[in-house]
Amino acid sequence: MKYPSKIIKQKQTNIEFANRGMNLENDLNSTNEYYLEKNIAIIHKKPTPIKLVKISFDNEKNAKINEAYFQSPSTTDYNGIYQGAYLDFEAKETKTKNFPLANINKHQIFHLNKIIEHKGIAFLIVRFSKINETYLIKGEDFIEFVNANTRKSIPYSYFKEKCFLIKENYLPRLDYIKIVQSLYFGGNYEKNN
Amino acid sequence: MKYPSKIIKQKQTNIEFANRGMNLENDLNSTNEYYLEKNIAIIHKKPTPIKLVKISFDNEKNAKINEAYFQSPSTTDYNGIYQGAYLDFEAKETKTKNFPLANINKHQIFHLNKIIEHKGIAFLIVRFSKINETYLIKGEDFIEFVNANTRKSIPYSYFKEKCFLIKENYLPRLDYIKIVQSLYFGGNYEKNN
């Protein structure tokens, strides 16, 4: 049986889109659930912003959205509280060797900058999915890199040298709070340990 | 011209639903924009959580949502940072004389409790839309009321006596940070002033 090439292309795109970034998101969600259960930190993923176009109503309680579109986020995906402090981060997964800066929009950079200015804890979690390594990069370092460089991506070597490898475990999956504790609340965290 | 009664009913419901709670939300959004511009605080409304059912794709960048439903939020609507502290609140508008507790779900009460436990600032902003009065009720007081009472609503008199009237201004529209500053960072705030 022959399919028109257009249909096949569309199917492949669906699968790609559906899986994109889901592994890191799932790992972070399960980590945040663990932190909540163990009373370590209260961190939630914000819902994806959606522009509603058409809504129908059976009654006031049963609204059905018939047409809507994903919106570009103006802030980061995750925020919450740890040790009384405000904590805010964006998480991105990339299949490329280096981290493309196009992954983070200018509103998000503005937002991270603002959080730092207001004495919050801001960072990015970046996963290189091909080699399965996940790094925490401090917001301060990320913004410094963006301002000092005309490059369109942050090289993997930068992460290797200056950022903090988050080891994968069974529970919690990605213990990034350990790194936050050491970076912002004292104690030493050995890079890439 | 005659309309079938069913269609008219549906139209009215639409209008009611669309306007419900929008005034308070607009006032808070414009207040938060003012705080952002003036560098006073960084507070955002979280997007409404939506359960996606059907999505179609023109290509990877043009996803169209064809069927989706509103979900009940598991946290509060607003959070952010003020003076380095984590701040979290829910905002509700009511047309009734007293404030029905059914407006706040148990996940949200759990969440407010957790925020207080982790030394964050948690509160509710409640507007009585018929008399156009907006109050800040501390999370601690709200939870104490819920735990100590079997009532299904918080009487207006409770707000009048124990909570903090947020005066309406031109700019910022609802200066709730002034009350937060006085309640959590020292200084006196005269009730209902």
Side-chain angles (χ1 to χ4, degrees):
Chain A
M1 196 176 161
K2 283 189 178 177
Y3 293 97
S5 63
K6 206 180 169 184
I7 291 179
I8 291 176
K9 192 173 180 294
Q10 202 182 350
K11 272 194 183 171
Q12 287 172 336
T13 312
N14 280 10
I15 294 160
E16 174 109 357
F17 189 91
N19 288 337
R20 195 179 59 176
M22 284 307 288
N23 293 329
L24 178 58
E25 186 178 323
N26 287 341
D27 286 353
L28 287 170
N29 288 347
S30 86
T31 300
N32 290 339
E33 273 171 38
Y34 176 89
Y35 290 155
L36 186 64
E37 269 170 34
K38 299 289 180 192
N39 228 10
I40 293 165
I42 318 295
I43 297 151
H44 288 277
K45 184 178 184 297
K46 290 179 208 167
T48 307
I50 282 166
K51 185 181 169 59
L52 303 173
V53 177
K54 275 187 206 159
I55 305 172
S56 63
F57 297 83
D58 292 341
N59 56 56
E60 207 175 311
K61 281 190 180 168
N62 281 318
K64 182 184 169 190
I65 300 158
N66 297 306
E67 188 183 344
Y69 298 91
F70 293 104
Q71 281 183 309
S72 175
S74 57
T75 66
T76 48
D77 270 355
Y78 298 85
N79 72 2
I81 184 169
Y82 174 64
Q83 305 267 31
Y86 178 88
L87 183 150
D88 195 298
F89 66 97
E90 180 64 20
K92 288 291 179 196
E93 201 157 359
T94 183
K95 285 177 181 170
T96 53
K97 199 179 176 303
N98 300 319
F99 179 66
L101 289 173
N103 274 317
I104 310 293
N105 72 45
K106 63 179 180 184
H107 296 290
Q108 293 178 312
I109 297 172
F110 174 83
H111 178 72
L112 290 167
N113 224 342
K114 279 282 171 197
I115 296 307
I116 294 165
E117 213 179 302
H118 284 257
K119 307 194 193 312
I121 296 169
F123 54 91
L124 274 77
I125 290 179
V126 174
R127 173 172 288 175
F128 295 94
S129 53
K130 279 199 175 160
I131 52 169
N132 207 31
E133 285 180 6
T134 309
Y135 290 89
L136 184 150
I137 171 169
K138 288 178 76 171
E140 291 86 343
D141 293 341
F142 175 76
I143 288 160
E144 194 185 87
F145 186 96
V146 170
N147 290 339
N149 288 275
T150 52
R151 300 185 62 140
K152 288 191 172 173
S153 64
I154 305 179
Y156 169 69
S157 59
Y158 180 95
F159 285 90
K160 197 84 183 154
E161 282 161 30
K162 304 221 175 164
C163 304
F164 301 89
L165 183 70
I166 309 171
K167 279 200 282 190
E168 283 191 28
N169 295 305
Y170 176 63
L171 215 66
R173 198 81 185 95
L174 286 172
D175 198 3
Y176 63 89
I177 281 290
K178 206 192 228 174
I179 301 174
V180 168
Q181 166 65 34
S182 139
L183 287 174
Y184 299 90
F185 297 87
N188 291 312
Y189 190 88
E190 206 181 312
K191 273 208 295 286
N192 304 333
N193 70 340
Chain B
M1 195 175 162
K2 282 188 178 178
Y3 293 98
S5 64
K6 205 180 172 185
I7 291 178
I8 291 176
K9 192 174 179 294
Q10 203 182 348
K11 273 194 183 170
Q12 286 175 336
T13 311
N14 281 10
I15 295 159
E16 173 108 359
F17 190 90
N19 288 338
R20 194 179 59 176
M22 283 308 288
N23 293 329
L24 179 57
E25 186 179 323
N26 288 341
D27 286 353
L28 287 170
N29 288 346
S30 85
T31 300
N32 291 338
E33 273 170 40
Y34 176 88
Y35 290 155
L36 186 64
E37 268 169 37
K38 298 290 179 191
N39 229 9
I40 293 166
I42 318 293
I43 297 151
H44 288 278
K45 185 179 184 297
K46 291 180 208 165
T48 308
I50 281 166
K51 185 180 169 59
L52 303 174
V53 178
K54 276 187 206 160
I55 305 172
S56 63
F57 298 83
D58 292 340
N59 56 55
E60 207 175 308
K61 282 190 179 167
N62 281 318
K64 183 183 168 189
I65 300 158
N66 298 307
E67 188 182 345
Y69 298 91
F70 293 104
Q71 281 183 309
S72 175
S74 57
T75 65
T76 48
D77 271 356
Y78 298 85
N79 71 2
I81 184 168
Y82 174 64
Q83 305 267 31
Y86 177 89
L87 181 150
D88 197 299
F89 66 96
E90 181 64 21
K92 289 291 178 195
E93 201 157 0
T94 183
K95 285 177 181 170
T96 54
K97 199 179 174 302
N98 301 319
F99 178 66
L101 289 173
N103 274 318
I104 310 293
N105 72 45
K106 63 179 180 184
H107 297 289
Q108 293 178 313
I109 297 172
F110 174 84
H111 179 72
L112 290 167
N113 225 340
K114 279 283 172 196
I115 296 308
I116 294 165
E117 213 179 302
H118 284 256
K119 307 195 194 311
I121 296 168
F123 54 91
L124 275 78
I125 290 178
V126 173
R127 172 173 289 174
F128 295 95
S129 53
K130 280 199 174 159
I131 51 169
N132 207 31
E133 284 181 7
T134 309
Y135 290 89
L136 184 150
I137 170 169
K138 288 178 78 173
E140 292 85 341
D141 293 341
F142 176 75
I143 288 161
E144 193 185 270
F145 186 95
V146 170
N147 291 339
N149 288 276
T150 52
R151 299 184 63 141
K152 290 189 172 176
S153 63
I154 305 179
Y156 168 70
S157 60
Y158 180 94
F159 285 89
K160 197 84 184 155
E161 281 162 31
K162 304 220 175 165
C163 303
F164 301 88
L165 183 71
I166 309 170
K167 277 199 282 189
E168 284 191 28
N169 295 305
Y170 176 63
L171 213 66
R173 197 80 184 96
L174 286 172
D175 198 3
Y176 63 89
I177 281 290
K178 205 193 229 174
I179 301 175
V180 168
Q181 166 66 34
S182 139
L183 287 174
Y184 298 92
F185 297 86
N188 291 312
Y189 190 88
E190 206 182 312
K191 275 209 294 288
N192 303 333
N193 70 339

